[in-house]
Amino acid sequence: MNGYGFRHVARMERIKLRSVRSTWWLAIASVVSMAAAGVGVGLGYRSHTPVATAAQILNNSLGGAILAQLLLGALGVLMVTGEYGSGMIRSTFAAVPRRRSVLAAKVAVCGGAALTVGLIASFAGYLGGQLAIRGTAIPAASLGDPPILRAVVLTGVYLGATALIGVGIGAIVRHSGAAIGTLFGLMFVPMIVAGLFGESGIAVGRFVPLLMLLNSIAVTSPIPGLFAGWISVLLMCGYAAVVIVCGGVLLRWRDA
């Protein structure tokens, strides 16, 4: 690799990621959207009749992940397509001819950053909801309760996996607008299609990312017929791996 080891390549990718302004905006927007959703849910339930349960507050407080997943997914896309748009990718490949090493470094750096932001955002959503219901009869959701902690943590991991899917799509499509559009389509269109089949669509819906998020991952108890939260998260990681591998294959054979 022209003398460049993986650590050096990863260090280069970290510098690039930190130096791009959109990285910070997308990360901040992800956390803010989750926190705002949590606060909004809590305020909405303060005068709700009958009194909401701790599970209801938590499940709805984590609903901001619908937007956060798109923001972090876009971050993953731009991790790759930003270089294609600026033409910097040619310099990167000139310095590191082994293109799959470049992609692997992007995956490692983006994955670590997105997982961190995803967990912070998830806990922000949880805290926002809990702070908004203070002083009411609504029972608090304690992180000492395993189902509560599991939902919060798995939501953060889901968000990190979405960013990795974005990296893979970026490597495949290479154009920012088209790649982000593809990401949005993959998140929402399958859910709409599954919804057309009503209850019979659950057999397919349990494999759909957004349905997994809302009904299996970011909830204390998955809806009957869906996978357990940790299985759904593993599926998301599997989707990310498939897309990244496809991106790596195309990256090797196509011109920069």
Side-chain angles (χ1 to χ4, degrees):
M1 290 194 299
N2 278 5
Y4 289 119
F6 181 79
R7 283 188 177 183
H8 187 85
V9 178
R11 190 179 305 116
M12 290 167 51
E13 293 301 329
R14 281 195 296 272
I15 293 172
K16 292 180 202 173
L17 184 66
R18 290 197 300 264
S19 64
V20 177
R21 190 175 302 174
S22 60
T23 297
W24 298 100
W25 283 116
L26 288 169
I28 292 170
S30 299
V31 176
V32 171
S33 66
M34 288 288 290
V39 171
V41 166
L43 292 177
Y45 271 107
R46 286 183 67 90
S47 57
H48 187 271
T49 303
V51 175
T53 64
Q56 283 179 305
I57 296 296
L58 178 76
N59 296 350
N60 289 283
S61 292
L62 296 178
I66 296 175
L67 176 58
Q69 68 173 346
L70 300 179
L71 296 170
L72 289 180
L75 188 153
V77 166
L78 295 175
M79 182 86 179
V80 180
T81 61
E83 288 197 66
Y84 278 100
S86 65
M88 188 185 296
I89 195 70
R90 295 185 181 87
S91 299
T92 298
F93 289 154
V96 189
R98 293 182 60 181
R99 298 183 176 187
R100 285 181 293 185
S101 295
V102 174
L103 181 59
K106 289 182 181 294
V107 168
V109 171
C110 183
L115 177 61
T116 301
V117 174
L119 289 171
I120 293 173
S122 186
F123 277 96
Y126 159 79
L127 289 173
Q130 295 305 298
L131 290 174
I133 62 171
R134 291 186 68 178
T136 69
I138 303 173
S142 172
L143 291 176
D145 187 356
I148 301 293
L149 180 61
R150 181 175 63 246
V152 174
V153 171
L154 289 182
T155 299
V157 177
Y158 171 95
L159 293 175
T162 303
L164 292 181
I165 291 175
V167 172
I169 293 175
I172 293 171
V173 179
R174 302 195 296 182
H175 183 276
S176 297
I180 292 174
T182 299
L183 174 71
F184 283 27
L186 289 175
M187 290 298 169
F188 287 102
V189 173
M191 181 187 70
I192 296 172
V193 173
L196 296 176
F197 296 94
E199 292 185 3
S200 60
I202 291 180
V204 175
R206 59 183 177 174
F207 295 96
V208 174
L210 194 51
L211 289 177
M212 291 193 298
L213 171 66
L214 297 177
N215 300 301
S216 173
I217 296 172
V219 293
T220 55
S221 299
I223 288 179
L226 271 69
F227 295 121
W230 66 272
I231 295 178
S232 295
V233 166
L234 285 178
L235 270 174
M236 282 297 293
C237 293
Y239 294 158
V242 170
V243 177
I244 290 168
V245 168
C246 291
V249 171
L250 292 175
L251 195 66
R252 181 180 181 184
W253 296 108
R254 290 191 303 198
D255 293 334

